[in-house]
Amino acid sequence: MALSVREYRARIRSTESMKKITRAMELIAASRIIKAQQRAQAAAPYARELTRAVSAVATFSNVDHALTTEPENPKKAAVLIVTSDRGLAGAYSSSVLKEAERLVEKLKGEGKDVDLYTSGRKGEAYFKFRQRAVVKSWTGFSDQPTYDVAAEIGATLIEAFLADADVEKTAVDEVHVVYTRFRSMLSQEPTAVRLLPLEVVEGTEPPEQGDLLPLYEFEPSPSEVLDSLLPRYVQSRIFFALLQAAASELAARQKAMKSATDNADELIKKYKRIANQARQAGITQEISEIVGGVNALADAQAGSE
């Protein structure tokens, strides 16, 4: 019985060590969530003004651009799936992968082939394990994305969208992005949006009374302005998706680590209770053996007399 007590004490020590690790990871994730939210808020004014500029050019120039033109018979679509680089975040990556699979099935049901692009090691490993081809992957930044990475991803997807299908195998007619939108600390929602062809949508708030629509002059020309603005608009939307995904990943990790810490607390209490019961049972057995020995000795002495 003493051996069993030692085993439970060893389990208690190992569980306490695990609890310290999960607690530390919970605190790290909580501190990084604030930074991720601040980055998203800091990027919002730029994205808002860029959207207004693109909307103004698209509305007042009457110029057809390759990035805003709907193909007559789309046959192929690209899907960018934003997952995490690391685990220990609960169902974060699996939820966005399920949403991506639903989108892929929907596109295939419409008669379109699908090219897969992934951001994050979890998505890359998911499709590699299933032996499904991925055109390109980006890894190593899921919880701290940078605009340079968003620009690289945007340039790759734009190049595939503008490529000639008769020349390039990676040419696509549509580009979709699947990521996790950060709603709150308790709610993160897997979301799929079509990125290309562009649908420029400005804010839904009505103009204040007395506001007048401005008159625009484009220099050097509306088409050249669109050539400059639209790629940046695509990159800003990708950067927004990466920031939202980063905040969602950290929130999911904090929640998962808090649950692991709470479970470790319950396990420690259980092990301590069982260890105490085993120790008390051992003491009781030892007392019983001593009493039995004393009684046997007394009976032996009485018999000798």
Side-chain angles (χ1 to χ4, degrees):
M1 188 63 67
L3 178 62
S4 178
V5 173
R6 287 199 298 269
E7 288 178 347
Y8 280 117
R9 286 176 178 172
R11 292 184 181 183
I12 290 171
R13 287 193 297 269
S14 64
T15 307
E16 287 176 342
S17 299
M18 180 179 65
K19 175 186 170 183
K20 292 179 181 178
I21 296 173
T22 57
R23 177 59 176 166
M25 295 184 67
E26 176 190 349
L27 295 176
I28 292 172
S31 65
R32 289 184 175 178
I33 289 173
I34 298 175
K35 294 179 181 179
Q37 288 178 305
Q38 290 174 346
R39 293 186 67 197
Q41 292 172 356
Y46 172 79
R48 182 170 55 250
E49 293 302 323
L50 184 58
T51 301
R52 288 183 178 180
V54 172
S55 179
V57 179
T59 302
F60 294 101
S61 66
N62 296 321
V63 174
D64 292 330
H65 193 275
L67 295 181
T68 61
T69 302
E70 293 280 350
E72 294 182 0
N73 185 23
K75 297 180 180 179
K76 196 173 186 181
V79 178
L80 171 65
I81 306 165
V82 182
T83 62
S84 65
D85 285 317
R86 298 183 293 124
L88 301 177
Y92 167 75
S93 291
S94 61
S95 296
V96 74
L97 287 168
K98 288 179 182 178
E99 182 66 25
E101 292 286 19
R102 283 193 289 267
L103 175 61
V104 169
E105 289 300 321
K106 176 177 177 293
L107 293 172
K108 288 183 177 180
E110 296 172 354
K112 301 171 185 174
D113 295 329
V114 178
D115 279 352
L116 298 172
Y117 295 79
T118 62
S119 172
R121 293 189 178 93
K122 289 297 179 179
E124 183 182 28
Y126 175 85
F127 292 109
K128 183 178 180 181
F129 178 77
R130 287 160 179 77
Q131 297 181 351
R132 295 167 62 181
V134 174
V135 178
K136 191 168 184 180
S137 297
W138 294 270
T139 60
F141 56 85
S142 66
D143 57 350
Q144 292 181 331
T146 63
Y147 191 83
D148 291 339
V149 173
E152 180 183 347
I153 296 174
T156 301
L157 295 177
I158 291 173
E159 181 181 356
F161 181 76
L162 296 178
D164 187 352
D166 296 331
V167 178
E168 297 290 340
K169 293 182 179 180
T170 58
V172 296
D173 301 310
E174 295 178 359
V175 175
H176 300 260
V177 179
V178 184
Y179 68 100
T180 306
R181 183 184 292 273
F182 181 84
R183 297 293 186 185
S184 67
M185 290 296 298
L186 300 177
S187 176
Q188 300 87 42
E189 178 185 357
T191 305
V193 297
R194 195 185 77 168
L195 188 63
L196 292 171
L198 281 172
E199 294 177 341
V200 181
V201 180
E202 202 172 347
T204 58
E205 297 181 2
E208 296 181 3
Q209 188 175 6
D211 284 355
L212 298 176
L213 291 176
L215 298 177
Y216 290 91
E217 292 184 1
F218 303 104
E219 180 65 31
S221 68
S223 60
E224 292 181 5
V225 172
L226 283 175
D227 287 339
S228 178
L229 283 180
L230 289 181
R232 296 187 183 185
Y233 180 67
V234 172
Q235 293 165 3
S236 71
R237 292 188 66 181
I238 293 176
F239 188 46
F240 170 79
L242 294 178
L243 290 175
Q244 289 281 309
S248 299
E249 176 187 346
L250 292 169
R253 181 166 292 116
Q254 183 196 14
K255 183 178 179 181
M257 291 300 98
K258 184 179 186 306
S259 178
T261 302
D262 294 341
N263 289 339
D265 276 331
E266 293 299 322
L267 198 58
I268 290 171
K269 291 178 182 178
K270 176 183 176 181
Y271 284 153
K272 285 183 176 179
R273 182 172 63 252
I274 296 175
N276 287 335
Q277 291 174 352
R279 181 175 59 83
Q280 291 170 1
I283 293 172
T284 302
Q285 182 177 357
E286 290 177 0
I287 293 174
S288 298
E289 291 173 353
I290 292 172
V291 172
V294 170
N295 290 335
L297 183 60
D299 291 342
Q301 290 178 350
S304 64
E305 292 177 354

